[in-house]
C-alpha cells in the first residue's frame, strides 16, 4: 500500500490540503491536489508565476510550487496537448493546454521507502489560471498521445499495481477541512479505517470511465433556527463526484433554494454566490447543517447521509480567482446548464470519504471523521480473483451409498429372483402397450386419402419479421434517470437491432480512453489574455447566461426571515 498525508494549504478558490510530489531528476518538490477525473500528473510551469497584472502575490506558494520540466535529465517530451478536462462545465477550458512528457514521479516530500517512485509517468506542465494548482490524477485510464506512433501510457495507479506496490487497483481520499485544521488523506491499494464512519451502502461505477463516480442524489435538506426541516432538492437526480473543482453544480432551482435559505448574493461578473459579513455572522450563530442523501440510484434503494456544516461552504476566494478584491467569502455553488454538469466537487469531499475499487467496479462514500490525532489504520483491498465459469452440462448426481440388508430380511437368492421377476413384468407391460397403440393408429388412418411425400408438401408461413423502428433522436449520453434506462423507439425508419441488449451510459459522453489533442501554447504570458478573459465574462453577462433564474423565492424560508433577492 501507498499512503500520503496532506499538509500544505494551497489554492485561490479556497485553502485546500495538498499532497507532496517529487518530479524529475533531480527531483523537484511541489504540492498538488488529487483529481478523481484526471489520469495524469499536472505541475505548474515557471511561466505560470511570471510577473504580470494577473499574477498573485506569493504565486509560487499559492500554486503549490513550480516545476521546470525541461531541467530534468529524465524528461522525455511528447509535445503540447489540450488538457481536455471540465470542458463540459465551461468553454474556457477548451483552449487550456499543457506541455506533456514522461518523467519520474515520486509520492511524498522525502525519498523514503514508504513512498512509491515510478519512472516514465505522464506529466504535464501547466500555466493557465483555469487550473490554478497542480493535480494528481487518480483515474485508472491510460493516456493516449495522438502522434504517428499513437502510443499509450498507463496511469500512476495502474503502474503501482503492475509493479506490485499495491495489492489492487483501488484508492481512497478525503479532502480535509481548513476550518477544522484537518488535513486530507490519500491511500492507494486500500483505505484508512480511522478516517470515516463505515456504512453498508455500495455504489457501482458508471460505464463511462471519464464520469464513473456517479451517485444518486436523492435529497438535500437543512434545518432552520426553529428546528424545522427545509428541503432544498425537489427532484432526485444523478451527480458526478469530481475532486478537480470546488463547486457543487446543481439544478438552477436548487441553487435558488440555497440562495434564499442562506441569503446568498449572486455576482454576475465573478459567477459566484457571495456571502456578506452580516450573513456570515448570522450563519455562524445558527450553525446550520446541510445533509446530502445519496445512493446507488436516484429511484430508491439504500442511502447514506453526508452531513456538511455551514463552515464547509464558507470558502475564501482570492486573486486571480476573484478580481474585484484581495479576498471575498463565497458559497461554492453553481447553477448547471444541463444534467451533464451535475457534480459534487471538492467541497463535498471535505466531509465525505471516498473509496474506489476498479477491480470490482464499485465504490463507497462515507462520513469523514476529521481527526489528525487518530492513529492511521490502513486496510488493504485485495485484488479481484477470477471467478470460475458456470458448468455447461448439468452436474453429475452423487453415487448412491451401498445398502446393507438385515440378516433377518430376504436372502440374496430370493432378492435376485424378486428383482428379475419385476423386470420381466415391466417388459411385458411395455410390449402390450406398444401393440395397443399401433392397432389404434391403424384404425384412425382408415378413410384418409393416399399418403403424400414430404417433397410434395408446400408450406405457407406467416411473416415472422418484426417491423423496423428507429430512435426519435440520436442516442443521448446525458440525463438518464437510472444507470440502465433504455431509449424509446418510434416508427420513423427501419433500423437493424443488435442481437445483444443495448444499455445507456450515464451522465457522460461516449466511452473512450482519454485522448489529448494538440493545441496552441498558453497565452497567459501576455497581458492581452487578461483582457480576453474579462471580455469573455462581459459577453456572457450580455448574453444573459450567467445569472441563474430565481424562481418562487418569495415562498421559501431563509434563516433571516426575509427575501434576500427583493430590492
Amino acid at each position: 500500500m501507498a499512503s500520503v498525508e496532506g499538509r500544505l494549504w494551497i489554492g485561490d478558490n479556497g485553502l485546500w490540503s495538498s499532497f507532496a510530489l517529487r518530479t524529475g531528476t533531480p527531483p523537484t518538490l511541489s504540492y498538488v491536489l488529487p483529481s478523481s477525473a484526471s489520469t495524469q500528473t499536472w505541475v505548474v510551469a515557471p511561466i505560470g508565476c511570471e510577473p504580470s497584472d494577473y499574477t498573485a502575490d506569493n504565486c509560487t506558494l499559492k500554486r503549490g510550487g513550480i516545476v521546470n520540466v525541461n531541467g530534468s535529465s529524465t524528461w522525455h517530451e511528447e509535445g503540447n496537448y489540450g488538457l481536455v478536462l471540465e470542458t463540459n462545465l465551461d468553454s474556457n477550458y477548451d483552449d487550456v493546454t499543457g506541455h506533456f512528457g514522461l518523467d519520474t514521479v515520486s509520492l511524498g516530500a522525502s525519498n523514503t521507502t514508504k513512498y512509491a517512485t515510478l519512472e516514465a509517468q505522464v506529466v504535464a506542465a501547466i500555466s493557465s489560471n483555469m487550473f490554478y494548482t497542480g493535480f494528481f490524477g487518480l483515474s485508472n485510464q491510460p493516456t493516449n498521445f495522438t502522434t504517428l506512433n499513437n502510443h499509450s501510457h498507463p496511469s500512476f495507479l495502474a503502474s503501482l499495481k503492475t509493479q506490485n506496490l499495491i495489492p489492487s487497483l483501488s484508492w481512497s481520499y478525503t479532502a480535509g477541512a481548513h476550518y477544522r485544521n484537518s488535513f486530507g488523506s490519500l491511500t492507494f491499494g486500500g483505505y484508512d479505517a480511522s478516517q470515516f464512519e463505515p456504512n453498508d451502502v455500495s455504489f457501482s461505477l458508471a460505464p463511462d470511465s471519464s464520469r464513473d463516480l456517479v451517485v444518486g442524489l436523492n435529497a438535500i435538506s437543512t434545518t432552520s433556527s426553529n428546528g424545522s426541516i427545509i428541503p432544498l432538492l425537489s427532484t432526485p437526480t444523478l451527480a458526478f463526484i469530481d475532486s478537480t473543482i470546488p463547486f457543487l453544480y446543481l439544478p438552477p432551482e436548487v441553487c435558488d433554494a440555497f440562495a434564499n435559505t442562506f441569503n446568498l448574493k449572486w455576482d454576475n461578473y465573478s459567477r459566484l454566490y457571495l456571502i456578506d459579513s452580516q450573513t456570515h455572522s448570522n450563519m455562524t450563530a445558527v450553525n446550520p447543517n446541510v445533509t446530502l442523501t445519496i445512493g446507488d440510484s436516484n429511484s430508491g434503494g439504500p442511502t447514506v447521509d453526508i452531513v456538511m456544516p455551514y463552515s464547509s461552504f464558507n470558502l475564501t476566494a482570492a486573486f486571480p480567482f476573484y478580481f474585484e478584491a484581495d479576498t471575498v467569502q463565497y458559497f461554492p455553488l453553481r447553477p448547471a446548464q444541463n444534467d451533464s454538469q451535475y457534480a459534487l466537487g471538492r467541497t463535498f469531499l471535505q466531509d465525505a470519504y471516498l473509496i474506489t475499487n476498479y477491480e470490482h467496479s464499485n465504490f463507497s462514500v462515507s462520513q469523514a471523521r476529521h481527526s489528525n490525532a487518530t492513529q492511521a489504520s490502513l486496510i488493504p483491498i485485495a485484488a479481484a480473483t477470477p471467478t470460475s465459469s458456470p458448468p455447461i452440462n448439468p452436474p453429475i448426481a452423487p453415487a448412491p451409498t451401498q445398502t446393507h440388508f438385515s440378516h433377518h430380511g430376504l436372502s440374496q437368492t430370493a432378492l435376485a429372483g424378486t428383482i428379475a421377476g419385476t423386470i420381466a413384468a415391466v417388459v411385458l407391460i411395455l410390449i402390450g402397450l406398444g401393440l395397443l397403440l399401433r392397432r389404434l393408429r391403424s384404425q384412425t388412418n382408415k378413410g384418409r386419402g393416399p399418403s403424400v411425400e414430404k417433397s410434395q408438401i408446400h408450406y405457407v408461413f406467416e411473416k415472422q419479421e418484426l417491423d423496423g423502428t428507429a430512435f426519435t433522436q440520436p442516442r443521448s449520453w446525458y440525463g438518464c434517470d437510472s444507470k440502465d434506462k433504455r431509449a424509446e423507439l418510434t416508427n420513423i425508419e427501419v433500423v437493424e437491432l443488435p442481437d445483444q441488449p443495448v444499455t445507456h451510459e450515464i451522465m457522460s459522453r461516449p466511452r473512450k480512453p482519454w485522448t489529448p489533442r494538440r493545441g496552441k501554447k498558453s497565452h497567459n504570458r501576455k497581458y492581452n489574455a487578461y483582457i480576453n478573459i474579462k471580455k469573455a465574462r462581459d459577453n456572457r453577462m450580455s448574453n444573459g447566461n450567467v445569472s441563474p433564474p430565481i424562481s418562487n423565492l418569495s415562498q421559501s424560508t431563509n434563516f433571516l426571515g426575509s427575501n434576500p433577492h427583493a430590492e
Side-chain angles (χ1 to χ4, degrees):
M1 294 176 59
S3 179
V4 189
E5 300 81 18
R7 282 294 178 265
L8 187 66
W9 300 100
I10 64 174
D12 65 341
N13 52 30
L15 291 177
W16 305 102
S17 178
S18 62
F19 297 83
L21 198 72
R22 289 171 291 122
T23 311
T25 305
T28 300
L29 177 65
S30 63
Y31 289 84
V32 297
L33 301 178
S35 170
S36 58
S38 175
T39 188
Q40 307 107 19
T41 298
W42 298 354
V43 294
V44 179
I47 190 176
C49 281
E50 285 187 352
S52 69
D53 289 341
Y54 54 98
T55 300
D57 296 335
N58 300 321
C59 174
T60 301
L61 178 63
K62 293 176 65 174
R63 302 194 74 164
I66 58 176
V67 177
N68 181 15
V69 294
N70 292 320
S72 171
S73 61
T74 51
W75 171 258
H76 176 76
E77 183 171 339
E78 292 288 347
N80 293 329
Y81 292 90
L83 297 180
V84 195
L85 193 65
E86 315 299 357
T87 55
N88 66 310
L89 300 179
D90 192 329
S91 60
N92 288 324
Y93 286 109
D94 292 340
D95 297 327
V96 181
T97 62
H99 185 55
F100 279 82
L102 305 179
D103 210 338
T104 301
V105 175
S106 304
L107 294 174
S110 61
N111 186 18
T112 61
T113 56
K114 65 178 293 188
Y115 298 122
T117 298
L118 298 177
E119 299 177 350
Q121 296 300 300
V122 178
V123 177
I126 63 174
S127 58
S128 170
N129 288 337
M130 294 296 294
F131 295 105
Y132 195 67
T133 67
F135 286 93
F136 187 80
L138 302 178
S139 174
N140 184 42
Q141 296 302 307
T143 298
N144 299 325
F145 289 103
T146 55
T147 61
L148 293 177
N149 296 328
N150 198 27
H151 49 292
S152 175
H153 296 278
S155 65
F156 192 90
L157 179 67
S159 298
L160 287 174
K161 176 69 186 316
T162 301
Q163 299 187 26
N164 295 321
L165 296 175
I166 56 176
S168 61
L169 292 172
S170 59
W171 54 265
S172 57
Y173 168 62
T174 184
H178 181 261
Y179 71 94
R180 296 177 182 265
N181 196 30
S182 174
F183 294 110
S185 173
L186 178 62
T187 304
F188 295 94
Y191 57 90
D192 187 350
S194 67
Q195 294 287 339
F196 64 96
E197 301 290 342
N199 62 74
D200 57 358
V201 179
S202 178
F203 300 78
S204 58
L205 292 172
D208 182 4
S209 58
S210 65
R211 294 178 66 85
D212 48 4
L213 299 171
V214 175
V215 299
L217 189 56
N218 289 270
I220 305 177
S221 63
T222 186
T223 305
S224 66
S225 57
N226 60 10
S228 62
I229 302 299
I230 303 176
L232 301 174
L233 176 68
S234 58
T235 304
T237 186
L238 299 174
F240 172 54
I241 299 178
D242 185 1
S243 66
T244 317
I245 57 176
F247 297 100
L248 278 69
Y249 276 84
L250 297 173
E253 61 273 14
V254 179
C255 297
D256 293 349
F258 267 98
N260 188 53
T261 303
F262 292 93
N263 196 27
L264 307 176
K265 309 295 183 181
W266 174 256
D267 179 58
N268 282 335
Y269 183 74
S270 62
R271 299 172 61 209
L272 296 177
Y273 283 101
L274 303 183
I275 306 173
D276 59 42
S277 58
Q278 183 61 48
T279 298
H280 175 64
S281 298
N282 293 335
M283 291 297 104
T284 303
V286 176
N287 193 27
N289 288 331
V290 175
T291 301
L292 288 83
T293 303
I294 60 175
D296 192 40
S297 170
N298 62 344
S299 58
T303 59
V304 58
D305 289 342
I306 303 299
V307 180
M308 304 178 63
Y310 162 75
S311 298
S312 293
F313 295 97
N314 178 35
L315 299 183
T316 300
F319 186 84
F321 184 73
Y322 186 75
F323 286 89
E324 299 300 308
D326 292 337
T327 60
V328 67
Q329 290 175 293
Y330 79 102
F331 201 96
L333 185 71
R334 272 189 174 167
Q337 297 179 2
N338 53 65
D339 54 7
S340 73
Q341 294 184 345
Y342 297 164
L344 303 177
R346 197 182 315 120
T347 295
F348 172 74
L349 290 171
Q350 291 179 113
D351 297 287
Y353 190 85
L354 177 61
I355 303 175
T356 304
N357 187 344
Y358 291 110
E359 299 199 19
H360 291 87
S361 297
N362 61 13
F363 64 99
S364 67
V365 184
S366 306
Q367 184 76 45
R369 279 183 175 160
H370 293 298
S371 178
N372 289 325
T374 303
Q375 181 68 29
S377 178
L378 300 180
I379 307 297
I381 297 177
T385 57
T387 57
S388 57
S389 301
I392 298 176
N393 298 320
I396 301 175
T401 58
Q402 184 180 3
T403 302
H404 299 276
F405 295 96
S406 171
H407 291 289
H408 299 285
L410 296 175
S411 64
Q412 292 185 358
T413 303
L415 179 62
T418 301
I419 295 175
T422 303
I423 293 175
V426 172
V427 171
L428 290 175
I429 293 173
L430 292 176
I431 292 174
L433 290 175
L435 293 174
L436 179 61
L437 291 174
R438 183 176 181 183
R439 186 172 182 177
L440 292 175
R441 186 179 302 167
S442 176
Q443 293 177 354
T444 303
N445 289 333
K446 289 181 179 181
R448 290 186 179 181
S451 62
V452 181
E453 296 294 333
K454 187 177 293 187
S455 60
Q456 296 177 296
I457 301 177
H458 299 277
Y459 296 93
V460 179
F461 296 96
E462 292 293 333
K463 183 179 179 182
Q464 300 297 317
E465 181 180 357
L466 294 176
D467 291 334
T469 55
F471 295 111
T472 58
Q473 296 178 357
R475 191 175 166 190
S476 173
W477 300 101
Y478 306 108
C480 295
D481 292 333
S482 60
K483 294 186 179 181
D484 57 355
K485 183 175 180 181
R486 303 294 197 268
E488 295 182 357
L489 302 176
T490 63
N491 54 359
I492 294 179
E493 59 177 329
V494 177
V495 296
E496 182 179 355
L497 298 178
D499 57 357
Q500 298 293 332
V502 179
T503 59
H504 276 260
E505 298 180 1
I506 308 301
M507 301 280 296
S508 61
R509 298 174 290 277
R511 184 178 185 180
K512 59 183 180 179
W514 184 89
T515 305
R517 53 184 173 81
R518 288 189 178 274
K520 298 179 181 180
K521 294 183 178 179
S522 173
H523 298 286
N524 290 346
R525 185 180 301 180
K526 299 182 180 294
Y527 176 73
N528 60 357
Y530 169 70
I531 300 300
N532 290 336
I533 292 174
K534 295 186 65 176
K535 288 182 178 180
R537 291 181 174 176
D538 293 338
N539 289 335
R540 285 198 300 271
M541 287 189 290
S542 63
N543 293 332
N545 295 327
V546 297
S547 180
I550 306 298
S551 59
N552 300 325
L553 291 182
S554 60
Q555 302 177 4
S556 303
T557 303
N558 65 69
F559 289 103
L560 303 181
S562 63
N563 186 351
H565 296 275
E567 296 295 338

